[in-house]
Coordinates of all heavy atoms in Angstrom, one line a residue:
F1 N -9.5 4.7 20.8 CA -9.9 3.8 21.9 C -10.0 4.6 23.2 O -9.0 5.3 23.6 CB -8.9 2.7 22.0 CG -8.9 1.7 20.8 CD1 -8.1 1.9 19.8 CD2 -9.8 0.6 20.8 CE1 -8.1 1.0 18.7 CE2 -9.9 -0.2 19.7 CZ -9.0 0.0 18.7
E2 N -11.1 4.5 23.9 CA -11.4 5.1 25.1 C -11.5 4.0 26.2 O -12.4 3.3 26.1 CB -12.6 6.0 25.1 CG -12.9 6.8 26.3 CD -14.2 7.6 26.1 OE1 -15.3 7.1 26.4 OE2 -14.1 8.8 25.7
V3 N -10.5 4.0 27.1 CA -10.5 2.9 28.1 C -10.8 3.5 29.4 O -10.1 4.4 29.9 CB -9.1 2.2 28.1 CG1 -9.1 1.1 29.1 CG2 -8.8 1.7 26.7
S4 N -11.8 2.8 30.1 CA -12.1 3.3 31.5 C -11.7 2.2 32.4 O -11.8 1.0 32.2 CB -13.6 3.5 31.6 OG -14.4 2.4 31.4
N5 N -11.2 2.6 33.6 CA -10.8 1.7 34.7 C -11.9 1.8 35.8 O -12.0 2.7 36.5 CB -9.5 2.2 35.2 CG -8.9 1.4 36.4 OD1 -9.7 0.6 37.0 ND2 -7.6 1.4 36.5
N6 N -12.8 0.8 35.7 CA -13.9 0.7 36.7 C -13.4 0.0 37.9 O -13.8 -1.1 38.2 CB -15.1 0.0 36.0 CG -16.3 0.1 36.8 OD1 -16.4 0.7 37.9 ND2 -17.4 -0.4 36.3
H7 N -12.6 0.7 38.7 CA -12.2 0.3 40.0 C -11.5 -1.0 40.1 O -11.8 -1.9 40.9 CB -13.4 0.4 41.0 CG -13.9 1.8 41.0 ND1 -13.2 2.9 41.4 CD2 -15.1 2.2 40.5 CE1 -14.1 4.0 41.2 NE2 -15.2 3.6 40.7
V8 N -10.6 -1.2 39.1 CA -9.7 -2.4 39.1 C -8.8 -2.5 40.3 O -8.5 -3.6 40.7 CB -8.9 -2.5 37.8 CG1 -7.9 -3.6 37.7 CG2 -9.9 -2.6 36.5
G9 N -8.4 -1.4 40.8 CA -7.5 -1.3 42.0 C -6.1 -1.1 41.6 O -5.2 -1.1 42.4
K10 N -5.8 -1.0 40.3 CA -4.5 -0.8 39.8 C -4.6 -0.1 38.4 O -5.7 0.0 37.8 CB -3.6 -2.0 39.7 CG -4.2 -3.1 38.9 CD -3.3 -4.3 39.0 CE -4.1 -5.6 38.6 NZ -3.3 -6.8 38.8
D11 N -3.5 0.4 37.9 CA -3.5 1.0 36.5 C -3.8 0.0 35.5 O -3.4 -1.2 35.6 CB -2.1 1.7 36.2 CG -1.8 2.8 37.2 OD1 -2.6 3.3 37.9 OD2 -0.6 3.2 37.1
V12 N -4.5 0.4 34.4 CA -4.7 -0.5 33.3 C -4.3 0.2 32.0 O -4.0 1.4 31.9 CB -6.2 -0.9 33.3 CG1 -6.6 -1.6 34.5 CG2 -7.2 0.2 32.9
G13 N -4.4 -0.6 30.9 CA -4.0 -0.1 29.5 C -4.7 -0.9 28.5 O -5.7 -1.5 28.7
L14 N -4.2 -0.8 27.3 CA -4.8 -1.6 26.2 C -3.7 -1.9 25.2 O -2.7 -1.1 24.8 CB -5.8 -0.6 25.4 CG -6.3 -1.2 24.1 CD1 -7.3 -2.4 24.4 CD2 -7.1 -0.1 23.4
V15 N -3.7 -3.2 24.7 CA -2.8 -3.7 23.7 C -3.7 -4.2 22.6 O -4.7 -4.9 22.8 CB -1.9 -4.7 24.1 CG1 -1.0 -5.3 23.0 CG2 -0.9 -4.1 25.2
L16 N -3.5 -3.8 21.3 CA -4.2 -4.3 20.2 C -3.1 -4.9 19.2 O -2.1 -4.3 18.9 CB -4.9 -3.1 19.5 CG -5.8 -3.4 18.3 CD1 -7.0 -4.3 18.7 CD2 -6.2 -2.2 17.6
V17 N -3.5 -6.1 18.7 CA -2.5 -6.9 17.8 C -3.4 -7.5 16.7 O -4.4 -8.0 17.0 CB -1.8 -8.0 18.7 CG1 -0.9 -8.8 17.8 CG2 -1.1 -7.4 19.9
P18 N -2.9 -7.5 15.5 CA -3.5 -8.3 14.4 C -3.6 -9.7 14.9 O -2.6 -10.3 15.3 CB -2.6 -8.1 13.2 CG -1.9 -6.8 13.5 CD -1.7 -6.8 15.0
K19 N -4.7 -10.4 14.7 CA -4.9 -11.8 15.1 C -3.9 -12.6 14.3 O -3.7 -12.4 13.1 CB -6.4 -12.2 14.7 CG -6.7 -13.6 15.4 CD -8.2 -13.8 15.3 CE -8.5 -15.0 16.2 NZ -10.0 -15.2 16.3
G20 N -3.3 -13.6 15.0 CA -2.3 -14.4 14.4 C -0.9 -14.0 14.6 O 0.0 -14.8 14.4
K21 N -0.7 -12.8 15.0 CA 0.6 -12.3 15.4 C 0.9 -12.6 16.9 O -0.1 -12.6 17.7 CB 0.7 -10.8 15.2 CG 0.6 -10.4 13.7 CD 1.9 -10.0 13.1 CE 1.6 -9.5 11.7 NZ 2.8 -9.0 11.1
D22 N 2.2 -12.8 17.3 CA 2.5 -13.1 18.6 C 2.3 -11.8 19.5 O 3.0 -10.8 19.4 CB 4.0 -13.5 18.7 CG 4.4 -13.9 20.1 OD1 3.7 -13.7 21.1 OD2 5.5 -14.6 20.2
A23 N 1.3 -11.9 20.4 CA 0.9 -10.7 21.2 C 1.9 -10.3 22.2 O 1.9 -9.3 22.7 CB -0.5 -10.9 21.8
S24 N 2.8 -11.3 22.6 CA 3.8 -11.0 23.6 C 4.9 -10.2 23.1 O 5.8 -9.7 23.8 CB 4.3 -12.4 24.1 OG 5.1 -13.0 23.2
K25 N 5.0 -10.0 21.8 CA 6.1 -9.2 21.2 C 5.6 -7.8 20.9 O 4.7 -7.6 20.0 CB 6.6 -9.8 19.9 CG 7.2 -11.2 20.1 CD 7.8 -11.8 18.8 CE 8.5 -13.1 19.1 NZ 9.1 -13.6 17.8
P26 N 6.2 -6.8 21.6 CA 5.8 -5.4 21.4 C 5.8 -4.9 19.9 O 5.0 -4.0 19.5 CB 6.7 -4.6 22.3 CG 7.1 -5.6 23.3 CD 7.2 -6.9 22.7
E27 N 6.8 -5.5 19.2 CA 6.8 -5.1 17.8 C 5.6 -5.4 17.0 O 5.3 -4.9 15.9 CB 8.1 -5.6 17.0 CG 8.2 -7.1 17.0 CD 8.9 -7.8 18.1 OE1 9.1 -7.1 19.2 OE2 9.3 -8.9 17.9
N28 N 4.8 -6.3 17.5 CA 3.5 -6.7 16.8 C 2.3 -5.8 17.3 O 1.2 -5.9 16.7 CB 3.2 -8.2 17.1 CG 4.1 -9.1 16.3 OD1 4.8 -8.7 15.2 ND2 4.4 -10.3 16.8
H29 N 2.5 -5.1 18.3 CA 1.5 -4.2 18.9 C 1.2 -3.1 17.9 O 2.1 -2.5 17.3 CB 1.8 -3.7 20.2 CG 2.0 -4.7 21.3 ND1 2.4 -4.4 22.6 CD2 1.9 -6.1 21.3 CE1 2.6 -5.5 23.2 NE2 2.2 -6.5 22.5

């Protein structure tokens, strides 16, 4: 994954989770 920050004004990232899993839990990332 290549993520570009098009002048958001702060740092950004990426989280990918299998659909149906609780995305708020890092162990599902």
Side-chain angles (χ1 to χ4, degrees):
F1 292 90
E2 182 179 88
V3 179
S4 64
N5 180 338
N6 190 356
H7 306 294
V8 173
K10 56 183 159 185
D11 297 348
V12 302
L14 173 70
V15 174
L16 182 69
V17 181
K19 193 168 191 172
K21 298 253 183 171
D22 185 346
S24 68
K25 295 184 177 181
E27 62 266 20
N28 292 332
H29 298 179

